[in-house]
Amino acid sequence: MAGSGGATSQPASFLVTSIAIISWYTSNIGVLLLNKYLLTNTGFRYPVFLTLCHMLASLLIGLLTSLCQILPLKPLKSNQQAYKIVVLSAVFCTTVVLGNVSLKFIPVSFNQAIGATTPFFTAILAYLMQGQTEVPLTYYSLIPIMGGVIIASGGEPLFNIIGFTCCLVATSLRALKSVLQSLLMTDPSEKLDPMSLLVYMSGVSVAILVPLTACLEPSSWNAALAMVETSSGFAYWLLGNSSLAYLVNLTNFLVTKYTSALTLQVLGNAKGVVAAAVSVAVFRNVVTGQGALGYAITVAGVFMYSESKRRAKLAAAAARNDGGAAKVASIEREPLLGTNAPGSDKSDLYFRGGERV
């Protein structure tokens, strides 16, 4: 009977992990495509207001799940911790706004190609702000990452300098957020679980976005109400899109919990390719051979970057531990779909989601 019980547990965990990954992919790509659809196909041209809707939905759903004790909200421990969250929220909020603005001008496929350059900015900023150096292979991988985007830009028939600039700045700010997160949230006593951090960041983002929307898009409120009155479908699209923004972060957390941060990074790299392909299929935007080649080069560079980071972590782990060889072997055999090792605890991972919201 013991053997029977063991046989049934693995398929169940595999199923849960698979559902989490599929949900993460679906919600991520869904938010991207719905953002593009709302900003280009409905006549609604207010990316800041759309970002406000995303943050408001994340805040309300987060508070509701906390009240229902599904994902209890952990209290802040100090004013310093609150200050750190405000700083992160400001960068995060700006990143999402600029990402949405870029979707007004460039296709999702090109947006994803530019977004794949995040490792380039992360490596540069980590060196400038933290003095953190990488192994040579990591820096070599930055060449195809940026070179591919340059090639793709030259072959993009719908290239727009405003959309390109906004997306590139959003990508660099996404990297800045990661570095700031490492700088500002390193105290173990002040760590928050990802979903509690999301609620606090959403609340600060709403406080930032309400006056920002009033100043930059004063007619957005009336325009949204008018579109809801004339088209009931618009209200459902906007509500669904905003709710997916929260689901992106929840599923991001679940995928990390059920697999690992390394697997999440690999899956994220592949997700960009899937999102670009779905965008081309849905919106029928033309992709030239040069554009496809440039994106392929960038993606190859990103995978090279991920592999170099993985090897560096394994080498560091082996150097720190006498039994490093066994640890290396177990990590190298880590399946793409699997469960956490016994006793592992990833509940204190920082918030990583929302970047592509």
Side-chain angles (χ1 to χ4, degrees), residues 148-167:
V149 169
I150 293 172
I151 294 173
S153 300
E156 175 55 55
L158 297 178
F159 180 86
N160 180 281
I161 188 62
I162 297 177
F164 175 81
T165 302
C166 287
C167 190

Side-chain angles (χ1 to χ4, degrees), residues 29 32-33 36 99 102-117 148-149 152-153 155-159 163-164 167 171 269 271-288 290-296 298-299 356:
I29 296 172
L32 274 170
L33 297 182
K36 180 66 176 177
S102 72
L103 289 174
K104 288 178 60 178
F105 302 100
I106 59 176
V108 174
S109 55
F110 190 39
N111 175 282
Q112 291 295 284
I114 300 170
T117 63
V149 169
S153 300
E156 175 55 55
L158 297 178
F159 180 86
F164 175 81
C167 190
T171 302
N269 296 339
K271 176 182 63 64
V273 180
V274 175
V278 173
S279 164
V280 172
V282 172
F283 294 106
R284 307 292 182 184
N285 53 283
V286 178
V287 177
T288 64
Q290 180 179 342
L293 174 63
Y295 191 20
T298 294
V299 171
R356 294 300 181 94

Side-chain angles (χ1 to χ4, degrees), residues 256-260 338-346:
T256 306
K257 179 179 179 181
Y258 293 140
T259 59
S260 70
T339 55
N340 293 335
S344 65
D345 183 11
K346 295 175 183 172

Side-chain angles (χ1 to χ4, degrees), residues 23 27 46 51 82 108 152 172 181 210 226 304 338 344 354:
S23 300
S27 58
Y46 303 101
T51 307
V108 174
S172 63
Q181 201 164 266
V210 167
M304 185 190 302
S344 65

Side-chain angles (χ1 to χ4, degrees), residues 159-242:
F159 180 86
N160 180 281
I161 188 62
I162 297 177
F164 175 81
T165 302
C166 287
C167 190
L168 195 64
V169 174
T171 302
S172 63
L173 287 176
R174 189 178 302 124
L176 176 61
K177 175 184 170 293
S178 298
V179 176
L180 285 175
Q181 201 164 266
S182 176
L183 285 170
L184 299 178
M185 303 291 283
T186 53
D187 186 351
S189 66
E190 292 190 347
K191 283 186 178 181
L192 286 170
D193 67 274
M195 302 317 293
S196 291
L197 184 54
L198 173 62
V199 172
Y200 288 121
M201 289 179 66
S202 298
V204 175
S205 296
V206 168
I208 294 172
L209 287 166
V210 167
L212 195 63
T213 303
C215 293
L216 299 180
E217 300 174 350
S219 60
S220 59
W221 306 87
N222 292 332
L225 290 174
M227 295 194 70
V228 169
E229 292 176 357
T230 57
S231 173
S232 58
F234 176 80
Y236 292 117
W237 283 117
L238 185 60
L239 181 61
N241 177 245
S242 301

